[in-house]
Amino acid sequence: MSTLEIRDLEVSVKLPDGGLKPILQGVTITVRAGETHAIMGPNGSGKSTLAYSIAGHPKYQITAGSVTLDGQDVLSMKVDERARAGLFLAMQYPVEVPGVSVANFLRTAKTAIDGQAPKLRTWGGELKGAMERLGMDPVFAQRNVNEGFSGGEKKRHEIVQLELLKPKLAILDETDSGLDIDALRVVSEGVNRVRETGETGILLITHYTRILRYVTPDFVHVFVGGRIVEEGGPELAERLEDEGYERYLVGTGPAIAG
């Protein structure tokens, strides 16, 4: 069973003048395969900073703490090494990759992660099946990655990647952002299919509770001011739906970043 361990993580963002602005302050979370952890909090609380720091974004500098995946030091790895080790990041704003088809992109990624190319006689069927389950026309496989895709199509494509690449740990950064109710349901069903395999741990980052009506978290962590201020189960998400974040924000000052 794979395990991601985040221990006392402190992260700062690099400023244009060369200085550092502290964002995350002592974050500790353990995510095991088969578990879903919801990271919730208001804008600027540090949720996305956590995601991009784990993934290795150069904008962020780790100033203290550790991140390990099955005992391996994630923070010492290059970005591509983190992906090959089993980390997956679904971005809030997926980027376009001109000149690279979805089919080639996915097959190249699968080859890099598995260490060998998927068999052509079965790969086409796997790709087509994954796209159909996410409500994507298989003709999208021949289009350039995310080029001309709607917001919903980009998010569906991210979950196609998730299903095919089968990572040890998936970080979903506001996957529900910009989705209409039908797309939200389809994307959530894809996340649940991956979760039900028991082979992938999920960090689900969101402002809102609407996706949690479809993807029930095992644990909820509330971020405010770069810290975890409360933790609980799915009942905590329900309480946040009713009460919001106001009670956490009294006396915290302005929001920070991420």
Side-chain angles (χ1 to χ4, degrees), residues 55 77-88 113 167:
M77 299 177 185
K78 297 178 181 177
V79 172
D80 61 315
E81 292 173 336
R82 299 182 196 205
R84 285 197 295 270
L87 289 175
F88 175 90
I113 290 171

Side-chain angles (χ1 to χ4, degrees), residues 231-251:
E231 297 176 300
E235 71 285 346
L236 177 54
E238 294 174 5
R239 200 175 82 216
L240 291 172
E241 175 73 12
D242 295 332
E243 301 176 2
Y245 299 111
E246 185 175 358
R247 67 193 185 90
Y248 301 111
L249 298 174
V250 177

Side-chain angles (χ1 to χ4, degrees), residues 134 150-157 159 174-188 191 210-211:
L134 269 296
S150 69
E153 287 163 349
K154 290 179 180 180
K155 297 300 179 73
R156 291 173 193 244
H157 177 221
I159 306 305
E174 299 196 34
T175 296
D176 53 337
S177 175
L179 295 181
D180 62 33
I181 191 64
D182 293 324
L184 176 63
R185 176 182 51 78
V186 170
V187 164
S188 298
V191 174
R210 64 177 195 147
I211 192 172

Side-chain angles (χ1 to χ4, degrees), residues 91-114:
M91 296 180 286
Q92 182 178 359
Y93 303 108
V95 298
E96 297 181 1
V97 187
V100 180
S101 72
V102 167
N104 286 339
F105 170 78
L106 287 169
R107 192 165 190 267
T108 300
K110 185 69 170 173
T111 300
I113 290 171
D114 292 354

